[in-house]
Every structure is written in structure tokens, then in C-alpha cells.
Amino acid sequence: MATDKSQYHRPQPPADPNQEYMTLQETAFVLGMSTSWLRRLLRANPELCGRNGGPGRKIMTSREQRAAIHAVRSAGDPRKGRSMPRPRRRPAARTRATAAA
């Protein structure tokens, strides 16, 4: 029987935003990032999260860890050295004047 695992790949609002411990999905929602970006960040910085459970090992974060994640994220994008990942630029719309030239 196949199970629907899409819930693990999308941020979910927590029951209480001020609770002590949150799952990875709740942390991503509170910090305003995707779960895949947060997983990559936590893989590079394992001290910023705790793991709960057995083989599945649910990823949990405490208040202090969420504050540290926010500080790391605010310091910039470690992949490119920029302040934040840049959004992709759309090509400029063609106008009649430039199309005729």
C-alpha cells in the first residue's frame, strides 16, 4: 500500500507558533522557507536540529535552534555568498518598436 508522503515536503502551520519544539515542516512554515532548503541547511549544520524516534528519525527543532537557523539564514546564502538567493529574472517584454527594428 502506497502512502501519501507529500505532507513531508511542504511547510505546515504549527498549532502554536510559540511552542518549545517543532517539526521540520512547522519550522519551515514559521521561518518562511521551503522544507528542501531547510533540510539542506540542517544537513550542512547538524548541530541546529535534534532527531526524535527510531529509523524514521523525525527532525525536531527547539526555540534556540530556530533562532540559530534564522541567524544562519540571515547571514546570507552559503552557496553563492550573496545576501539571499536571487529570484530568476524574466526576459523583458518585446514592444512593437524593438520588434520592428
Side-chain angles (χ1 to χ4, degrees), residues 26-83:
E26 293 170 340
T27 302
F29 184 87
V30 169
L31 296 177
M33 60 177 66
S34 69
T35 55
S36 61
W37 203 91
L38 183 57
R39 284 180 197 275
R40 266 185 267 143
L41 180 74
L42 295 178
R43 192 176 306 125
N45 302 302
E47 69 279 359
L48 296 180
C49 70
R51 299 192 184 267
N52 183 16
R57 300 184 345 159
K58 183 182 262 188
I59 299 173
M60 303 291 286
T61 59
S62 67
R63 285 188 186 129
E64 295 81 22
Q65 290 167 336
R66 286 192 299 273
I69 291 169
H70 177 71
V72 167
R73 184 173 183 241
S74 298
D77 185 7
R79 298 170 292 178
K80 303 289 182 187
R82 293 192 285 259
S83 59

